[in-house]
């Protein structure tokens, strides 16, 4: 994977993690949790590819 794509993935994960969450909407929270899971999975995969984990 190229460095530009990795930078994009890291920026996207940071944005997802820093975005405010609406705790009053269960559906919105479920979607948010799903996006966080995907972001975390992608970051861990990226670390595995680099051999840093």
């Amino acid at each position: 994977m190229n460095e530009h794509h990795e930078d994009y993935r890291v920026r996207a994960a940071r944005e997802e993690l820093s975005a405010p969450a609406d705790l009053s909407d269960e559906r919105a929270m479920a979607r948010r949790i799903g996006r966080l899971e995907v972001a975390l999975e992608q970051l861990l995969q990226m670390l595995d590819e680099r051999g840093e984990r």
Side-chain angles (χ1 to χ4, degrees):
M1 189 168 309
N2 69 36
E3 188 175 331
H4 176 70
H5 186 67
E6 287 180 357
D7 289 344
Y8 169 79
R9 288 169 65 181
V10 170
R11 280 193 312 276
R14 284 181 178 161
E15 288 174 14
E16 187 61 45
L17 291 169
S18 65
D22 180 3
L23 301 177
S24 66
D25 184 347
E26 290 180 18
R27 284 181 163 178
M29 283 301 298
R31 286 189 303 270
R32 169 122 175 140
I33 290 168
R35 288 191 304 266
L36 289 170
E37 288 175 341
V38 169
L40 179 58
E41 182 179 323
Q42 290 177 344
L43 290 172
L44 292 174
Q45 179 185 12
M46 189 173 61
L47 288 174
D48 282 345
E49 290 169 0
R50 288 183 172 184
E52 295 182 14
R53 197 176 100 158

